[in-house]
Amino acid sequence: VVAAPVAAARTAVASSTAMAAAPLARTARLVPSRAGVLLAAPRASWSTARGAALCGTPVAGFLGRALVVRGAREGWRRAGGWRRKFSAGGSGGGGGGGKKSLWERYAELLETRPILTKSLTSLVITAIGDIACQTFFGDGSFDIVRFAQFSILGGVLVGPGLHFWYGTLNRLIPGVTTKAVLGRLALDQLVWAPPFIAVFMGTLKTMQGRPYDDLLEIVWESCKVNWMLWPAANFINFKFVPGQYQVLFANFVALIWNTYLSYAGNKPAAEAVEAETPAV
């Protein structure tokens, strides 16, 4: 009479132990062969080993099996994470097939160093805009001082300014619904654009030594041109472009805009110089 329960208990213990050993074996097989990944095995198998010990007692068999399952899941998760990490690192450091493209590197820089990346991008595109303006609307000579002033404003003022402004817009009115996009667009064109154009032109005029030379007229004319270009461009920007790329998109549209700003910011100066030059 006594032997039957004892035999049943021994059978239950053996069965529970076998159940505990199976996840342990599976966890061990899941761990990659790299040395660093093996460090995940003791952490992942702690719950598994504890569960195996509890499975050896019929009273706590259910709790033991639960811990076994938990340990096996930890092994899957940790081993899989290390495998992804090493596969990504190994593909970049091996042959030439895993090298990142220029766009992937730029996207990575936008994530790791957003302000510096956007500032340098704005500097380059602003410089291209001034080069285009001097090439197509200039007198044939290239003004290096004007080029340097305009480019510096692009890197110091335009890039960081748009980074923080677009971030603020996306926090104030999140989403890509038409209502949200139109709300951000209204704030951008009515709250941001006029004072930003005034600051840009005022700083440019100050760098040229003529801070109040027809500034209000230039700002007003620039605002009117801005409202012909940027509402449609920024509707597309806010609606379809991810947040981290919105400054980049605006910079490409600004190739046209910067050409105009360079023209508007420097044409009055050239006319003033011509007017002050006595006829011979």
Side-chain angles (χ1 to χ4, degrees):
V1 176
V2 179
V6 172
R10 289 177 179 175
T11 303
V13 170
S15 177
S16 299
T17 304
M19 292 176 63
L24 278 171
R26 287 197 298 269
T27 304
R29 286 197 299 271
L30 288 174
V31 176
S33 59
R34 299 179 183 270
V37 184
L38 291 176
L39 295 176
R43 298 180 183 178
S45 61
W46 179 78
S47 297
T48 310
R50 186 174 60 173
L54 289 175
C55 281
T57 61
V59 179
F62 177 78
L63 178 61
R65 285 190 291 273
L67 289 173
V68 167
V69 173
R70 175 185 170 186
R73 287 177 179 174
E74 289 177 358
W76 273 104
R77 179 174 58 82
R78 293 181 182 275
W82 278 94
R83 186 183 297 112
R84 287 191 297 271
K85 178 178 178 182
F86 274 105
S87 62
S91 62
K99 291 183 178 180
K100 294 181 180 179
S101 66
L102 184 61
W103 174 255
E104 290 173 336
R105 293 179 182 178
Y106 182 81
E108 183 178 343
L109 287 174
L110 282 176
E111 294 291 337
T112 57
R113 309 187 73 175
I115 298 178
L116 179 61
T117 304
K118 294 173 184 178
S119 298
L120 292 177
T121 304
S122 297
L123 186 149
V124 171
I125 294 181
T126 305
I128 294 173
D130 184 70
I131 292 174
C133 181
Q134 293 199 50
T135 301
F136 297 108
F137 303 103
D139 56 0
S141 61
F142 189 82
D143 189 343
I144 189 65
V145 175
R146 162 185 163 176
F147 169 78
Q149 292 171 345
F150 204 73
S151 302
I152 290 172
L153 279 181
V156 174
L157 185 61
V158 176
L162 290 181
H163 168 77
F164 288 110
W165 173 243
Y166 285 168
T168 301
L169 278 180
N170 289 324
R171 286 192 299 271
L172 290 176
I173 311 178
V176 293
T177 62
T178 301
K179 182 179 179 180
V181 170
L182 290 177
R184 292 202 298 273
L185 189 61
L187 287 179
D188 181 68
Q189 292 302 304
L190 299 177
V191 176
W192 169 262
F196 181 77
I197 292 173
V199 169
F200 185 93
M201 287 298 187
T203 306
L204 181 63
K205 291 294 182 181
T206 301
M207 295 171 71
Q208 294 172 348
R210 298 173 294 105
Y212 304 108
D213 184 15
D214 299 327
L215 180 60
L216 291 179
E217 180 181 354
I218 295 172
V219 169
W220 175 239
E221 292 298 325
S222 299
C223 284
K224 289 191 291 185
V225 176
N226 167 84
W227 290 326
M228 289 189 291
L229 172 66
W230 282 106
N234 271 344
F235 181 85
I236 297 173
N237 196 10
F238 297 156
K239 180 74 173 177
F240 302 107
V241 180
Q244 68 269 29
Y245 300 118
Q246 288 180 356
V247 174
L248 179 64
F249 179 87
N251 279 327
F252 279 111
V253 178
L255 282 171
I256 302 172
W257 175 241
N258 289 334
T259 303
Y260 171 78
L261 286 183
S262 179
Y263 174 78
N266 290 277
K267 184 180 179 182
E271 292 177 348
V273 171
E274 291 176 2
E276 293 171 1
T277 302
V280 179

